[in-house]
Short mmCIF file of all heavy atoms in Angstrom, two decimals:
data_model
loop_
_atom_site.label_atom_id
_atom_site.label_comp_id
_atom_site.label_asym_id
_atom_site.label_seq_id
_atom_site.Cartn_x
_atom_site.Cartn_y
_atom_site.Cartn_z
N GLN A 60 -6.43 -14.86 -5.10
CA GLN A 60 -5.84 -13.58 -5.61
C GLN A 60 -4.37 -13.41 -5.13
O GLN A 60 -3.63 -12.99 -5.88
CB GLN A 60 -6.73 -12.45 -5.18
CG GLN A 60 -8.01 -12.32 -6.01
CD GLN A 60 -9.17 -11.73 -5.36
OE1 GLN A 60 -9.01 -11.14 -4.22
NE2 GLN A 60 -10.32 -11.88 -5.87
N SER A 63 -2.43 -15.46 -7.56
CA SER A 63 -2.29 -14.90 -8.93
C SER A 63 -1.38 -13.72 -8.83
O SER A 63 -0.58 -13.45 -9.80
CB SER A 63 -3.63 -14.48 -9.56
OG SER A 63 -4.37 -13.60 -8.79
N LEU A 64 -1.31 -12.95 -7.76
CA LEU A 64 -0.37 -11.90 -7.55
C LEU A 64 1.07 -12.42 -7.49
O LEU A 64 1.96 -11.96 -8.24
CB LEU A 64 -0.63 -11.24 -6.15
CG LEU A 64 -1.43 -9.99 -6.02
CD1 LEU A 64 -1.66 -9.63 -4.62
CD2 LEU A 64 -0.81 -8.86 -6.79
N LEU A 67 2.04 -13.49 -10.96
CA LEU A 67 2.29 -12.28 -11.85
C LEU A 67 3.74 -11.87 -11.57
O LEU A 67 4.48 -11.57 -12.50
CB LEU A 67 1.32 -11.23 -11.62
CG LEU A 67 1.44 -10.01 -12.51
CD1 LEU A 67 1.10 -10.34 -13.89
CD2 LEU A 67 0.47 -8.88 -11.98
N ALA A 71 6.82 -11.70 -14.19
CA ALA A 71 7.61 -10.39 -14.37
C ALA A 71 9.06 -10.65 -14.14
O ALA A 71 9.83 -10.13 -14.90
CB ALA A 71 6.98 -9.30 -13.50
N MET A 74 10.56 -12.49 -17.00
CA MET A 74 10.71 -11.62 -18.25
C MET A 74 11.93 -10.70 -18.17
O MET A 74 12.64 -10.54 -19.04
CB MET A 74 9.42 -10.76 -18.40
CG MET A 74 9.36 -10.23 -19.80
SD MET A 74 8.03 -9.12 -19.93
CE MET A 74 8.63 -7.89 -18.72
N VAL A 75 12.06 -10.11 -16.87
CA VAL A 75 13.26 -9.22 -16.69
C VAL A 75 14.55 -10.01 -16.92
O VAL A 75 15.44 -9.47 -17.60
CB VAL A 75 13.21 -8.59 -15.28
CG1 VAL A 75 14.58 -8.06 -14.84
CG2 VAL A 75 12.08 -7.63 -15.19
N ASP A 77 14.84 -12.63 -18.72
CA ASP A 77 14.92 -12.99 -20.13
C ASP A 77 15.71 -11.97 -20.95
O ASP A 77 16.55 -12.30 -21.83
CB ASP A 77 13.49 -12.97 -20.73
CG ASP A 77 13.04 -14.43 -21.16
OD1 ASP A 77 13.74 -15.35 -20.85
OD2 ASP A 77 12.02 -14.49 -21.80
N VAL A 78 15.41 -10.70 -20.62
CA VAL A 78 16.09 -9.62 -21.31
C VAL A 78 17.56 -9.56 -20.91
O VAL A 78 18.46 -9.40 -21.67
CB VAL A 78 15.31 -8.26 -21.02
CG1 VAL A 78 16.16 -7.08 -21.64
CG2 VAL A 78 13.91 -8.27 -21.52
N THR A 81 21.43 -10.91 -15.68
CA THR A 81 22.03 -10.30 -14.42
C THR A 81 21.05 -9.33 -13.74
O THR A 81 21.44 -8.84 -12.68
CB THR A 81 23.34 -9.59 -14.82
OG1 THR A 81 22.99 -8.41 -15.58
CG2 THR A 81 24.28 -10.49 -15.58
N ASP A 82 19.99 -9.03 -14.41
CA ASP A 82 19.06 -8.05 -13.85
C ASP A 82 18.06 -8.75 -12.94
O ASP A 82 17.93 -9.96 -12.90
CB ASP A 82 18.37 -7.38 -15.03
CG ASP A 82 17.73 -6.04 -14.61
OD1 ASP A 82 17.77 -5.64 -13.39
OD2 ASP A 82 17.13 -5.37 -15.51
N ASP A 83 17.23 -7.91 -12.19
CA ASP A 83 16.18 -8.55 -11.34
C ASP A 83 15.08 -7.60 -11.17
O ASP A 83 15.15 -6.36 -11.27
CB ASP A 83 16.73 -8.90 -9.92
CG ASP A 83 15.93 -9.97 -9.31
OD1 ASP A 83 14.92 -10.39 -9.91
OD2 ASP A 83 16.27 -10.40 -8.18
N LEU A 84 13.82 -8.13 -10.89
CA LEU A 84 12.70 -7.33 -10.69
C LEU A 84 12.76 -6.62 -9.37
O LEU A 84 13.11 -7.14 -8.30
CB LEU A 84 11.45 -8.32 -10.66
CG LEU A 84 10.08 -7.65 -10.44
CD1 LEU A 84 9.71 -6.85 -11.63
CD2 LEU A 84 9.04 -8.73 -10.16
N MET A 85 12.49 -5.30 -9.38
CA MET A 85 12.51 -4.50 -8.15
C MET A 85 11.10 -4.11 -7.73
O MET A 85 10.87 -4.08 -6.55
CB MET A 85 13.37 -3.23 -8.36
CG MET A 85 14.76 -3.41 -8.78
SD MET A 85 15.62 -4.40 -7.59
CE MET A 85 15.88 -3.24 -6.33
N PHE A 86 10.24 -3.93 -8.72
CA PHE A 86 8.87 -3.44 -8.39
C PHE A 86 7.99 -3.64 -9.53
O PHE A 86 8.38 -3.66 -10.75
CB PHE A 86 8.99 -1.87 -8.07
CG PHE A 86 7.89 -1.36 -7.09
CD1 PHE A 86 7.91 -1.64 -5.82
CD2 PHE A 86 6.87 -0.65 -7.69
CE1 PHE A 86 6.94 -1.23 -4.92
CE2 PHE A 86 5.83 -0.19 -6.88
CZ PHE A 86 5.86 -0.50 -5.51
N LEU A 87 6.76 -3.81 -9.25
CA LEU A 87 5.66 -4.11 -10.20
C LEU A 87 4.45 -3.22 -9.86
O LEU A 87 3.98 -3.27 -8.82
CB LEU A 87 5.33 -5.57 -10.26
CG LEU A 87 4.47 -6.04 -11.39
CD1 LEU A 87 4.99 -5.85 -12.75
CD2 LEU A 87 4.32 -7.61 -11.22
N ARG A 88 3.95 -2.39 -10.84
CA ARG A 88 2.81 -1.57 -10.56
C ARG A 88 1.72 -1.88 -11.62
O ARG A 88 1.98 -1.86 -12.80
CB ARG A 88 3.21 -0.08 -10.75
CG ARG A 88 2.15 0.89 -10.35
CD ARG A 88 2.69 2.35 -10.63
NE ARG A 88 3.72 2.77 -9.69
CZ ARG A 88 3.44 3.52 -8.68
NH1 ARG A 88 2.28 4.08 -8.43
NH2 ARG A 88 4.38 3.87 -7.85
N VAL A 89 0.64 -2.32 -11.15
CA VAL A 89 -0.50 -2.80 -11.99
C VAL A 89 -1.57 -1.71 -11.85
O VAL A 89 -2.21 -1.59 -10.75
CB VAL A 89 -0.98 -4.15 -11.67
CG1 VAL A 89 -2.16 -4.57 -12.60
CG2 VAL A 89 0.12 -5.21 -11.67
N CYS A 90 -1.84 -0.91 -12.83
CA CYS A 90 -2.90 0.14 -12.77
C CYS A 90 -4.12 -0.37 -13.52
O CYS A 90 -4.05 -0.66 -14.73
CB CYS A 90 -2.32 1.40 -13.36
SG CYS A 90 -0.84 1.93 -12.74
N SER A 91 -5.18 -0.31 -12.76
CA SER A 91 -6.54 -0.66 -13.46
C SER A 91 -7.43 0.59 -13.44
O SER A 91 -6.99 1.65 -12.99
CB SER A 91 -7.13 -1.82 -12.69
OG SER A 91 -7.81 -1.31 -11.51
N LYS A 92 -8.62 0.46 -13.94
CA LYS A 92 -9.51 1.58 -14.03
C LYS A 92 -9.76 2.09 -12.55
O LYS A 92 -9.94 3.31 -12.36
CB LYS A 92 -10.85 1.24 -14.73
CG LYS A 92 -10.65 1.13 -16.20
CD LYS A 92 -11.99 1.02 -16.93
CE LYS A 92 -12.69 -0.27 -16.75
NZ LYS A 92 -13.85 -0.50 -17.62
N THR A 93 -9.94 1.20 -11.63
CA THR A 93 -10.31 1.71 -10.30
C THR A 93 -9.20 1.54 -9.24
O THR A 93 -9.28 2.27 -8.18
CB THR A 93 -11.49 0.82 -9.87
OG1 THR A 93 -11.13 -0.59 -9.79
CG2 THR A 93 -12.73 1.04 -10.75
N LEU A 96 -2.22 -1.79 -8.02
CA LEU A 96 -1.58 -2.81 -7.16
C LEU A 96 -0.07 -2.63 -7.23
O LEU A 96 0.49 -2.51 -8.29
CB LEU A 96 -1.84 -4.26 -7.75
CG LEU A 96 -3.23 -4.70 -7.47
CD1 LEU A 96 -3.59 -5.78 -8.52
CD2 LEU A 96 -3.22 -5.43 -6.15
N GLN B 51 10.71 -12.20 -26.45
CA GLN B 51 10.53 -11.22 -25.38
C GLN B 51 9.14 -10.47 -25.60
O GLN B 51 8.49 -10.18 -24.65
CB GLN B 51 11.73 -10.25 -25.28
CG GLN B 51 12.94 -10.83 -24.54
CD GLN B 51 14.22 -10.31 -24.95
OE1 GLN B 51 14.29 -9.33 -25.67
NE2 GLN B 51 15.28 -11.02 -24.57
N SER B 54 6.63 -12.73 -24.23
CA SER B 54 6.49 -12.83 -22.79
C SER B 54 5.95 -11.54 -22.18
O SER B 54 5.18 -11.51 -21.20
CB SER B 54 7.86 -13.15 -22.13
OG SER B 54 8.81 -12.31 -22.46
N LEU B 55 6.12 -10.33 -22.91
CA LEU B 55 5.51 -9.15 -22.51
C LEU B 55 4.03 -9.30 -22.66
O LEU B 55 3.24 -8.91 -21.73
CB LEU B 55 5.99 -8.00 -23.41
CG LEU B 55 7.17 -7.19 -23.08
CD1 LEU B 55 7.59 -6.22 -24.22
CD2 LEU B 55 6.83 -6.29 -21.85
N LEU B 58 2.62 -11.45 -20.01
CA LEU B 58 2.60 -10.75 -18.67
C LEU B 58 1.41 -9.74 -18.66
O LEU B 58 0.62 -9.78 -17.62
CB LEU B 58 3.85 -9.92 -18.52
CG LEU B 58 4.09 -9.32 -17.09
CD1 LEU B 58 4.08 -10.39 -16.01
CD2 LEU B 58 5.26 -8.42 -17.10
N ALA B 62 -1.70 -10.03 -16.05
CA ALA B 62 -2.11 -8.85 -15.21
C ALA B 62 -3.59 -8.46 -15.40
O ALA B 62 -4.29 -8.20 -14.43
CB ALA B 62 -1.22 -7.63 -15.51
N MET B 65 -5.71 -10.93 -13.61
CA MET B 65 -5.66 -10.80 -12.13
C MET B 65 -6.59 -9.61 -11.79
O MET B 65 -7.37 -9.65 -10.81
CB MET B 65 -4.27 -10.46 -11.69
CG MET B 65 -4.07 -10.67 -10.22
SD MET B 65 -2.52 -10.04 -9.70
CE MET B 65 -2.73 -8.36 -10.15
N VAL B 66 -6.56 -8.58 -12.51
CA VAL B 66 -7.42 -7.38 -12.21
C VAL B 66 -8.88 -7.82 -12.30
O VAL B 66 -9.63 -7.40 -11.50
CB VAL B 66 -7.11 -6.22 -13.24
CG1 VAL B 66 -8.21 -5.21 -13.37
CG2 VAL B 66 -5.77 -5.55 -12.96
N ASP B 68 -9.97 -10.83 -11.88
CA ASP B 68 -10.19 -11.75 -10.78
C ASP B 68 -10.78 -10.91 -9.53
O ASP B 68 -11.69 -11.35 -8.90
CB ASP B 68 -8.85 -12.29 -10.33
CG ASP B 68 -8.82 -13.77 -10.57
OD1 ASP B 68 -9.83 -14.32 -11.24
OD2 ASP B 68 -7.92 -14.40 -10.11
N VAL B 69 -10.17 -9.76 -9.27
CA VAL B 69 -10.62 -8.94 -8.16
C VAL B 69 -11.90 -8.34 -8.37
O VAL B 69 -12.76 -8.30 -7.56
CB VAL B 69 -9.47 -7.89 -7.85
CG1 VAL B 69 -9.83 -6.96 -6.78
CG2 VAL B 69 -8.13 -8.58 -7.53
N THR B 72 -15.59 -6.18 -13.45
CA THR B 72 -15.98 -4.98 -14.26
C THR B 72 -14.75 -4.03 -14.47
O THR B 72 -14.86 -3.08 -15.24
CB THR B 72 -17.10 -4.10 -13.54
OG1 THR B 72 -16.48 -3.60 -12.29
CG2 THR B 72 -18.28 -5.01 -13.16
N ASP B 73 -13.69 -4.39 -13.85
CA ASP B 73 -12.52 -3.53 -13.93
C ASP B 73 -11.64 -3.99 -15.14
O ASP B 73 -11.91 -5.00 -15.73
CB ASP B 73 -11.79 -3.69 -12.66
CG ASP B 73 -10.65 -2.53 -12.37
OD1 ASP B 73 -10.65 -1.64 -13.30
OD2 ASP B 73 -10.01 -2.49 -11.30
N ASP B 74 -10.63 -3.19 -15.49
CA ASP B 74 -9.71 -3.66 -16.57
C ASP B 74 -8.39 -3.05 -16.38
O ASP B 74 -8.11 -1.99 -15.70
CB ASP B 74 -10.26 -3.18 -17.94
CG ASP B 74 -9.65 -4.04 -19.11
OD1 ASP B 74 -8.78 -4.84 -18.82
OD2 ASP B 74 -10.10 -3.82 -20.24
N LEU B 75 -7.39 -3.69 -17.04
CA LEU B 75 -6.03 -3.24 -16.87
C LEU B 75 -5.78 -1.97 -17.68
O LEU B 75 -6.21 -1.91 -18.86
CB LEU B 75 -5.03 -4.33 -17.43
CG LEU B 75 -3.53 -4.09 -17.35
CD1 LEU B 75 -2.99 -3.98 -15.95
CD2 LEU B 75 -2.80 -5.10 -18.12
N MET B 76 -5.20 -0.98 -17.19
CA MET B 76 -4.93 0.27 -17.86
C MET B 76 -3.43 0.50 -18.16
O MET B 76 -3.02 0.93 -19.23
CB MET B 76 -5.35 1.48 -17.01
CG MET B 76 -6.83 1.49 -16.66
SD MET B 76 -7.93 1.47 -18.17
CE MET B 76 -7.57 3.12 -18.75
N PHE B 77 -2.56 -0.01 -17.19
CA PHE B 77 -1.15 0.15 -17.40
C PHE B 77 -0.39 -0.81 -16.46
O PHE B 77 -0.89 -1.17 -15.45
CB PHE B 77 -0.80 1.72 -17.03
CG PHE B 77 0.39 2.15 -17.64
CD1 PHE B 77 0.37 2.49 -19.02
CD2 PHE B 77 1.60 2.33 -16.99
CE1 PHE B 77 1.54 3.06 -19.60
CE2 PHE B 77 2.74 2.75 -17.51
CZ PHE B 77 2.74 3.16 -18.91
N LEU B 78 0.87 -1.13 -17.00
CA LEU B 78 1.67 -2.05 -16.22
C LEU B 78 3.13 -1.52 -16.22
O LEU B 78 3.61 -1.15 -17.29
CB LEU B 78 1.53 -3.46 -16.84
CG LEU B 78 2.19 -4.65 -16.16
CD1 LEU B 78 1.67 -4.84 -14.79
CD2 LEU B 78 2.00 -5.92 -17.01
N ARG B 79 3.68 -1.34 -15.06
CA ARG B 79 5.01 -0.82 -14.99
C ARG B 79 5.90 -1.86 -14.26
O ARG B 79 5.65 -2.25 -13.15
CB ARG B 79 4.94 0.51 -14.24
CG ARG B 79 6.38 1.20 -14.07
CD ARG B 79 6.30 2.35 -13.27
NE ARG B 79 5.40 3.49 -13.79
CZ ARG B 79 5.88 4.60 -14.37
NH1 ARG B 79 7.19 4.80 -14.44
NH2 ARG B 79 5.05 5.43 -14.90
N VAL B 80 6.95 -2.30 -15.03
CA VAL B 80 7.89 -3.35 -14.50
C VAL B 80 9.24 -2.62 -14.17
O VAL B 80 9.84 -2.28 -15.22
CB VAL B 80 8.03 -4.56 -15.45
CG1 VAL B 80 8.91 -5.62 -14.86
CG2 VAL B 80 6.63 -5.08 -15.79
N CYS B 81 9.57 -2.55 -12.97
CA CYS B 81 10.85 -1.79 -12.68
C CYS B 81 11.91 -2.93 -12.26
O CYS B 81 11.67 -3.70 -11.42
CB CYS B 81 10.64 -0.86 -11.47
SG CYS B 81 9.33 0.28 -11.74
N SER B 82 13.00 -2.89 -12.96
CA SER B 82 14.06 -3.79 -12.66
C SER B 82 15.23 -2.99 -12.14
O SER B 82 15.22 -1.72 -12.08
CB SER B 82 14.55 -4.64 -13.88
OG SER B 82 15.31 -3.82 -14.74
N LYS B 83 16.37 -3.62 -11.85
CA LYS B 83 17.56 -2.88 -11.28
C LYS B 83 18.00 -1.93 -12.38
O LYS B 83 18.49 -0.83 -12.05
CB LYS B 83 18.64 -3.83 -10.93
CG LYS B 83 18.37 -4.54 -9.59
CD LYS B 83 19.71 -5.35 -9.09
CE LYS B 83 19.92 -6.55 -9.91
NZ LYS B 83 20.98 -7.39 -9.32
N THR B 84 17.93 -2.24 -13.63
CA THR B 84 18.59 -1.41 -14.66
C THR B 84 17.53 -0.72 -15.61
O THR B 84 17.85 0.28 -16.28
CB THR B 84 19.49 -2.16 -15.53
OG1 THR B 84 18.78 -3.28 -16.06
CG2 THR B 84 20.64 -2.79 -14.74
N LEU B 87 10.04 -1.18 -17.76
CA LEU B 87 9.12 -1.53 -18.87
C LEU B 87 7.76 -0.98 -18.71
O LEU B 87 7.16 -1.23 -17.56
CB LEU B 87 8.95 -3.04 -19.02
CG LEU B 87 10.20 -3.81 -19.51
CD1 LEU B 87 10.26 -5.27 -19.14
CD2 LEU B 87 10.22 -3.72 -21.10
#
Side-chain angles (χ1 to χ4, degrees):
Chain A
Q60 280 150 15
S63 59
L64 267 172
L67 185 65
M74 196 189 62
V75 163
D77 244 11
V78 175
T81 65
D82 199 358
D83 200 357
L84 178 70
M85 301 301 287
F86 203 76
L87 187 57
R88 182 184 291 254
V89 180
C90 308
S91 77
K92 285 192 289 191
T93 58
L96 284 159
Chain B
Q51 280 153 13
S54 59
L55 267 172
L58 185 65
M65 198 190 62
V66 163
D68 244 10
V69 174
T72 65
D73 199 358
D74 200 357
L75 178 70
M76 301 301 288
F77 202 76
L78 188 57
R79 183 184 292 255
V80 181
C81 308
S82 76
K83 285 192 287 190
T84 57
L87 285 158

